[in-house]
Amino acid sequence: MNVSDTEIVNSILMEDGMQPVNEPNQAEVIFINTCSIRENAEERVWNRLKEFKALKKEKEGDLTVGVLGCMAERIRDKIMEKEKLVDLVVGPDAYRDLPKLLADVDDGRKAVNVLLSLEETYADVKPVRTNDNGVSAFVTIMRGCDNMCAFCVVPFTRGRERSRPAESILDELERLSDQGYREVTLLGQNVNSYNDGEHSFADLMYKASQVDPEMRVRFSSPHPKDFPEELLKIISEQPNLCNYIHIPAQSGNDEVLERMRRPYTRQQYLDLVDRMREIIPGVTLSTDIITGFCGETEEEHEDTLSLMARVKYDLAYMFAYSERGRTLAQRKYEDDVPEKVKKRRLSEIIEQQMNIQEELNKKEIGRRHLVLVEGPSKRSDEQLCGRTDTNKMVVFDREDYAKGEYVEVVITDCTSATLMGDPIKKSSIAEFEAEKITA
Ligand code: SAH
Ligand code: SF4
């Protein structure tokens, strides 16, 4: 979300005549786009701000520093008064105000706008993507969240849920396709609750699939509560809608889920997983897990381990619970699981998950996949990397293949995080599908 928001900010600033530079010491203005989801995200921001304060001193004050995003909402007073680290604080719904706020700073005033909006979706702002690979792009389709999970600060920092009109999303997809992008990820805190008054998320996904049959469509993050059969069928029927779904579980225990205000039980969640695998054969799944939430017992933690062992996720984002101000958990519950226990439980689920991933990846050996090439691999320019439809990273020899191409690859080896393969030939979604059917 923050990468995508930065692209919106780029656009607003460049319309106003500003230009991006490569090095902080060349800049007249530096914005830091922040996250409040966990304590350590915020700590990193404080450290960066101290670096910029030093830079400002070096430049004898000739530098404006601004904080954007979720932290702006939360701690504007601390940011502005106590620390005197920044000149400008702008929340996630106020980016259109940036040119005016910068002018205020030039006039010697501190500038703040952290108002949240019920409508703002930046639908008409054309994001400027200065930092991506030219192959895959993020497209924000909704903002805010109404779910109020007990642990989560997002509803407070990003405000109420609202959907961007489908027409403006589809226009953006057209434009991306014309510019040569081969993959888009539709973004929101709660994408499958999307509703612009006319279109459901299933409608939007179908329309998105029709923009360019050779452009892959992914989405993140959905909520387990909103997975109608229709949506799963559309994903399974349209070849360019990727067979990979992120379904955050958070915990495998009913009491913890209830305390978290997640509106499903372990059994309902498992039923959803079964339905997904039935309707979309070969679908891969990932999840988010929190360990050490308020009151979590050893047995409850074991239930998370057993849920993860049962589902066998292809990927998991795992976190130790971090108490956030204003959330229900902070107001009503005690953050009573000692840090050491949280960390130990976290390493237990990570270790189990790494073993599962390796086991699943080993099963990939010998299979053929259509890989969208994203660029050179991290290790070597002689190798390329890209993802399968199922979102697995594959590394293979460059030969004559190039970024942005679809390449058919046979998997030959793996680690818990990456597949290695041999390229067979250049291909396309249509060609690969046709071959799958005849095979
Ligand atoms: N809207 C997304 C989640 C966005 S936050 C969704 O509902 O899936 C991404 C993940 O961060 C969450 O799924 C959760 O696992 C984790 N998270 C959120 N608040 C947290 C907290 N206070 N401590 C630790 N992890 C947290
Ligand atoms: Fe946070 Fe829950 Fe909303 Fe996700 S659905 S952003 S976890 S409140």
Side-chain angles (χ1 to χ4, degrees):
M1 286 297 302
N2 272 4
V3 170
S4 175
D5 274 8
T6 297
E7 293 169 347
I8 287 166
V9 170
N10 279 343
S11 171
I12 291 167
L13 295 178
M14 287 163 82
E15 281 281 307
D16 195 47
M18 298 177 76
Q19 283 302 320
V21 293
N22 292 321
E23 296 297 328
N25 59 12
Q26 300 169 331
E28 291 167 15
V29 181
I30 296 178
F31 290 118
I32 175 157
N33 199 354
T34 60
C35 174
S36 293
I37 198 81
R38 284 169 291 276
E39 186 68 36
N40 57 6
E42 292 197 348
E43 257 154 38
R44 279 160 59 194
V45 172
W46 288 116
N47 291 334
R48 275 321 275 285
L49 286 175
K50 283 181 195 136
E51 282 170 33
F52 294 148
K53 189 178 186 179
L55 184 62
K56 190 167 181 160
K57 217 167 174 186
E58 249 171 64
K59 298 183 77 165
E60 290 165 1
D62 190 16
L63 175 67
T64 300
V65 178
V67 166
L68 311 180
C70 287
M71 262 174 96
E73 290 291 335
R74 271 169 49 75
I75 39 177
R76 68 187 137 156
D77 301 333
K78 187 171 171 201
I79 290 176
M80 302 288 282
E81 314 300 333
K82 272 208 205 131
E83 309 279 334
K84 298 219 186 319
L85 291 176
V86 297
D87 310 291
L88 197 80
V89 177
V90 187
D93 285 346
Y95 297 146
R96 286 182 203 271
D97 215 18
L98 276 167
K100 180 193 149 284
L101 293 168
L102 279 168
D104 286 351
V105 172
D106 282 345
D107 291 344
R109 289 191 293 265
K110 296 260 173 191
V112 185
N113 185 347
V114 295
L115 290 178
L116 291 172
S117 155
L118 294 175
E119 290 103 33
E120 181 63 271
T121 59
Y122 300 108
D124 58 314
V125 176
K126 298 187 170 59
V128 177
R129 300 178 163 88
T130 50
N131 225 341
D132 65 13
N133 57 13
V135 177
S136 41
F138 293 123
V139 176
T140 297
I141 64 163
M142 49 123 50
R143 301 182 70 85
C145 181
D146 285 349
N147 282 330
M148 294 284 182
C149 301
F151 50 81
C152 184
V153 79
V154 167
F156 304 97
T157 61
R158 301 188 76 95
R160 301 302 298 267
E161 189 171 298
R162 65 221 102 114
S163 297
R164 172 178 169 187
E167 206 177 313
S168 93
I169 299 168
L170 296 167
D171 281 351
E172 190 174 339
L173 299 189
E174 292 277 357
R175 229 169 23 244
L176 288 166
S177 156
D178 291 345
Q179 291 166 3
Y181 283 88
R182 301 283 77 184
E183 179 179 80
V184 293
T185 302
L186 308 183
L187 281 186
Q189 292 301 337
N190 211 354
V191 277
N192 49 342
S193 310
Y194 176 90
N195 192 323
D196 71 348
E198 276 174 59
H199 306 86
S200 67
F201 185 61
D203 298 338
L204 180 69
M205 282 289 278
Y206 178 74
K207 291 201 161 171
S209 75
Q210 303 301 300
V211 170
D212 175 350
E214 291 296 327
M215 186 163 77
R216 281 180 171 172
V217 182
R218 302 185 184 278
F219 57 97
S220 190
S221 275
H223 191 291
K225 75 183 162 69
D226 266 329
F227 267 105
E229 202 108 335
E230 184 199 2
L231 173 59
L232 298 177
K233 287 209 176 104
I234 288 171
I235 295 174
S236 115
E237 282 160 12
Q238 301 304 319
N240 59 341
L241 300 184
C242 291
N243 291 350
Y244 159 70
I245 303 180
H246 181 64
I247 19 166
Q250 313 298 359
S251 165
N253 174 273
D254 284 347
E255 279 74 42
V256 176
L257 287 170
E258 169 121 34
R259 286 203 293 283
M260 287 178 162
R261 298 286 191 276
R262 299 286 290 187
Y264 48 87
T265 61
R266 175 190 175 98
Q267 193 53 51
Q268 285 167 336
Y269 182 92
L270 287 171
D271 291 346
L272 174 62
V273 166
D274 289 346
R275 206 146 45 85
M276 285 174 169
R277 288 185 164 149
E278 201 178 297
I279 299 176
I280 314 171
V283 67
T284 54
L285 302 175
S286 64
T287 197
D288 290 346
I289 299 285
I290 297 177
T291 63
F293 186 61
C294 309
E296 187 189 66
T297 63
E298 271 325 299
E299 292 74 44
E300 289 170 343
H301 163 62
E302 291 291 330
D303 283 345
T304 296
L305 280 166
S306 76
L307 179 90
M308 294 177 80
R310 158 87 201 276
V311 176
K312 291 193 197 288
Y313 297 101
D314 296 87
L315 190 68
Y317 301 93
M318 298 160 280
F319 313 103
Y321 172 61
S322 164
E323 186 178 77
R324 311 316 288 138
R326 293 167 74 193
T327 58
L328 181 86
Q330 186 249 345
R331 286 179 284 121
K332 293 268 159 69
Y333 310 142
E334 203 184 328
D335 181 12
D336 56 359
V337 178
E339 211 47 43
K340 248 175 76 185
V341 176
K342 284 181 190 170
K343 290 279 150 63
R344 194 249 307 146
R345 290 180 188 168
L346 182 62
S347 33
E348 282 174 18
I349 63 166
I350 291 176
E351 195 191 325
Q352 175 181 285
Q353 178 60 25
M354 289 306 118
N355 291 333
I356 291 171
Q357 280 178 212
E358 198 173 333
E359 174 195 325
L360 292 175
N361 281 352
K362 277 192 182 140
K363 289 192 189 161
E364 295 286 342
I365 295 173
R367 290 188 189 155
R368 288 180 181 219
H369 280 287
L370 187 68
V371 173
L372 172 59
V373 181
E374 292 176 14
S377 86
K378 260 190 246 154
R379 294 237 181 93
S380 152
D381 269 356
E382 293 310 301
Q383 293 195 309
L384 296 172
C385 69
R387 276 165 215 280
T388 64
D389 175 310
T390 54
N391 202 37
K392 294 196 184 243
M393 188 56 92
V394 185
V395 175
F396 60 92
D397 286 343
R398 173 184 286 277
E399 298 183 5
D400 290 332
Y401 303 108
K403 188 166 99 167
E405 286 177 353
Y406 286 108
V407 180
E408 189 176 331
V409 174
V410 61
I411 306 305
T412 54
D413 201 359
C414 73
T415 67
S416 62
T418 314
L419 304 177
M420 277 63 84
D422 286 336
I424 298 172
K425 61 174 187 196
K426 199 177 145 180
S427 186
S428 67
I429 295 181
E431 188 182 337
F432 193 72
E433 267 317 286
E435 284 173 10
K436 230 173 25 189
I437 290 162
T438 47

